[in-house]
Amino acid sequence: MSRTIIRLIGETDIVDIDPASHDGGAHPKLMGLDADDRVNLLGHWLDQDRGEALQDDPDFKSAMTAIGSQLAADQPGNGVNFVVITILREKWPVGSKADFQAKADRVGAAHTYLVHCCDAAHLDDLDDDAARKQSETTQLIMSVPRYRRMRKQYANSSAVQTLIRQHS
């Protein structure tokens, strides 16, 4: 079986996971959480510099892998072995803040998050850091039109706002 890397990009942290390390079973940290709750939990973990510390904890890394693997499950096969997924802060519209706060509170997060799977790629050498970084950049730039269309759904503090400005 060929190796795959999923790069999870949050507001402040980037974590690479290997979906082959996830057995497909339920993870104890994720029990009782629906898909939106899992995205918000993963977004919370990848925000405020939490991800770097949490990725070193096998239990958290396993939970991140379970969520990331599920998010990337719809990516086409055909030799794809590198997937970039962004999990970025959602804007809370005036008048709806209580609803959004309730969603965030369910997982102990300060924000809710929007997830986007970029167009996946095939890399000849997954161990080549420069090639992974170049592919990440390419996948993000290819996603800028989508981010631009959805600009108002992302928080003003979201890193995606800078990406949009840089490529407008």
Side-chain angles (χ1 to χ4, degrees):
M1 181 173 177
S2 63
R3 190 170 141 226
T4 299
I5 292 177
I6 300 171
R7 177 158 288 174
L8 303 171
I9 299 179
E11 286 294 338
T12 61
D13 296 318
I14 298 173
V15 173
D16 286 346
I17 59 169
D18 176 0
S21 67
H22 177 58
D23 64 6
H27 192 283
K29 288 193 177 304
L30 308 177
M31 298 301 285
L33 300 180
D34 66 16
D36 289 338
D37 288 343
R38 290 172 186 223
V39 166
N40 290 332
L41 184 59
L42 182 59
H44 176 71
W45 288 342
L46 297 173
D47 200 350
Q48 305 291 319
D49 298 319
R50 290 179 197 94
E52 190 172 315
L54 294 177
Q55 75 176 341
D56 293 333
D57 180 313
D59 196 35
F60 278 96
K61 182 78 173 233
S62 174
M64 288 179 191
T65 301
I67 298 168
S69 296
Q70 187 175 36
L71 294 174
D74 293 335
Q75 291 295 313
N78 302 347
V80 164
N81 62 358
F82 186 66
V83 181
V84 172
I85 299 175
T86 60
I87 306 96
L88 302 170
R89 290 182 197 149
E90 182 174 24
K91 184 174 190 168
W92 292 0
V94 175
S96 302
K97 290 186 178 187
D99 294 335
F100 283 85
Q101 186 66 57
K103 291 177 188 177
D105 287 347
R106 284 198 305 253
V107 295
H111 303 276
T112 54
Y113 296 84
L114 297 171
V115 66
H116 171 63
C117 292
C118 298
D119 291 335
H122 172 78
L123 298 180
D124 291 330
D125 182 4
L126 280 173
D127 294 320
D128 182 344
D129 291 338
R132 285 197 320 260
K133 183 63 179 167
Q134 178 59 45
S135 182
E136 169 195 319
T137 300
T138 300
Q139 290 182 51
L140 289 172
I141 289 171
M142 288 173 48
S143 294
V144 167
R146 179 191 182 279
Y147 293 135
R148 194 176 294 123
R149 279 191 310 276
M150 294 182 61
R151 170 181 269 170
K152 292 181 180 180
Q153 290 181 284
Y154 289 98
N156 292 335
S157 62
S158 177
V160 79
Q161 301 295 352
T162 302
L163 178 69
I164 293 168
R165 279 192 299 277
Q166 289 174 343
H167 293 89
S168 288

